[in-house]
Amino acid sequence: MADAIDLNEYGAKLREDPHSVYAELRALGPVHRVRLPPPENYDSWLVVGYEEARAALADPRLAKDVSSLDTPPFAGRPAFDKNLLAVDPPQHTRLRALVTRAFTARRVKALEPRIQRITDDLLDAMLPHGHADLVEAFAYPLPITVICELLGVPEIDRAAFREMSNEMVAPTSEEAQQRAVDRLLVYLAELIEDKRRAGPADDLLSALIRTTAEDGDRLSAEELRDMAFLLLIAGHETTVNLIVNGVHTLLTHPEQLAELRADPDLIDDAIEEMLRYEGPVETATFRYAAQPLEIAGIVIERGEPVLIGLSAANRDAGRYAAPDRFDIHRDARGHLAFGHGIHYCLGAPLARLETRTALRTLLRRAPALALDGPPGEWFPGMLIRGRRSLPVRW
């Protein structure tokens, strides 16, 4: 077994500038055994090369479901283990087919006027003040309002939901994270039961309750709860940080911002470059070797955990020329910010739509937008790449 590189030795650099850490690792090879920082504090394989990451994301030998594997004690089954990120085919194939029956492209497209209205309302409230924390005033409330309205989460519950969600993706401690998991388990089960009793409604969760395949297959109560969990967490945490990272990147690259202002039609290319340059998901969720396999000549034994570095892959000079340069004219296609293979993000079209609406409207209505002091600290851990605050003025 290879000696582990202790990522804790990088200290604050791993959080503040992980790209330089991954570049150091990539110079030594595309795959490494590492000791993860808290709260994990255990060894895992980390893939930092683009080609290796892309292949690993689609490799069926790297499993999500650990129930049949001789995994270490830390790799127990997650609390929400019936969602798309925790199962493998054929269960994954079945769940994705059922969910996509309700979460259609038409449903996402139909949200566009409402997303624009929410965006305008938030800016109407924010802009008269002349300055704000963009996270609190804009980047957080937009996606959480959209996903809660889409799923049918009552407005009164959204503050509590935010607290639970933040603790789950960027935990302050293992104990606090577990408390958040337990609360969310109970909350979602009760929400689904309330909707079942209330009868047909137009929200996505109600549609998932009613969804039936040709053979009569339906989502079970546990599957509904776990899919609601995935849609709620993934449906807003990533978009919040895509908006925040995107705005911060533009404001710290004024020549690129000026070019986007001069040609707003570049917005879609700019968003793809934001996803590549500073995407909101740093590493994919854990996979486990269902059988011994090799990645770039490195043998990974059955049951061992594997982390695939999405941010690391997206800065690989073997795939993108001058990868540390932010360039909205770059062809950023092929980036791995939304993953690859069967676990490619189901909500990618919604995230792109929300971000396009948010950035286009913000830049148009706040032409003098600028930073108003140092941004907040980065979230802990290696899952979500995002800041706690972003002070701006206009």
Side-chain angles (χ1 to χ4, degrees), residues 308-328:
I308 300 171
L310 306 182
S311 293
N314 287 336
R315 296 280 191 109
D316 187 340
R319 176 62 178 84
Y320 297 103
D324 295 324
R325 186 181 72 226
F326 178 68
D327 181 4
I328 64 173

Side-chain angles (χ1 to χ4, degrees), residues 54 57-58 64 84-85 92 96 100 103 230 272 275 284 287 310 333-352:
R54 184 178 172 86
L57 287 167
K64 290 287 194 172
L84 292 171
L85 284 183
H92 179 275
R96 188 146 184 147
T100 51
F103 193 31
L230 177 63
E272 297 310 304
L275 284 160
R287 285 162 168 78
L310 306 182
R333 286 178 298 180
H335 67 71
L336 302 179
F338 289 123
H340 176 63
I342 65 168
H343 292 288
Y344 183 83
C345 177
L346 189 70
L350 178 59
R352 285 184 168 109

Side-chain angles (χ1 to χ4, degrees), residues 269-291:
D269 290 340
I271 290 170
E272 297 310 304
E273 176 66 346
M274 291 167 192
L275 284 160
R276 184 203 69 83
Y277 182 82
E278 197 74 275
V281 182
E282 188 170 331
T283 60
T285 52
F286 279 104
R287 285 162 168 78
Y288 303 90
Q291 63 189 68

Side-chain angles (χ1 to χ4, degrees), residues 40-186:
E40 283 82 13
N41 272 329
Y42 49 72
D43 289 0
S44 171
W45 293 100
L46 176 65
V47 182
V48 294
Y50 176 87
E51 293 298 340
E52 294 78 11
R54 184 178 172 86
L57 287 167
D59 193 329
R61 298 172 298 174
L62 289 174
K64 290 287 194 172
D65 185 350
V66 300
S67 59
S68 63
L69 302 178
D70 301 322
T71 50
F74 59 77
R77 294 184 69 80
F80 298 89
D81 62 358
K82 295 293 192 297
N83 71 65
L84 292 171
L85 284 183
V87 296
D88 304 305
Q91 296 94 330
H92 179 275
T93 309
R94 170 183 165 268
L95 285 179
R96 188 146 184 147
L98 283 166
V99 173
T100 51
R101 280 176 167 268
F103 193 31
T104 60
R106 179 181 297 178
R107 185 182 286 271
V108 171
K109 179 64 177 173
L111 290 170
E112 189 166 5
R114 180 59 183 146
I115 292 171
Q116 185 66 61
R117 180 71 265 162
I118 296 167
T119 298
D120 286 328
D121 288 347
L122 289 169
L123 292 178
D124 286 346
M126 184 183 90
L127 292 178
H129 297 285
H131 62 91
D133 171 10
L134 195 76
V135 176
E136 288 294 324
F138 186 63
Y140 177 80
L142 172 59
I144 192 65
T145 303
V146 171
I147 199 64
C148 285
E149 287 188 2
L150 175 64
L151 283 167
V153 175
E155 189 170 356
I156 195 171
D157 295 337
R158 292 174 195 173
F161 171 72
R162 178 184 187 179
E163 180 186 337
M164 292 183 278
S165 176
N166 284 350
E167 192 59 56
M168 290 186 68
V169 300
T172 54
S173 71
E174 195 173 341
E175 295 74 20
Q177 184 182 44
Q178 188 57 52
R179 285 195 298 272
V181 168
D182 293 341
R183 287 176 62 198
L184 197 53
L185 279 167
V186 172

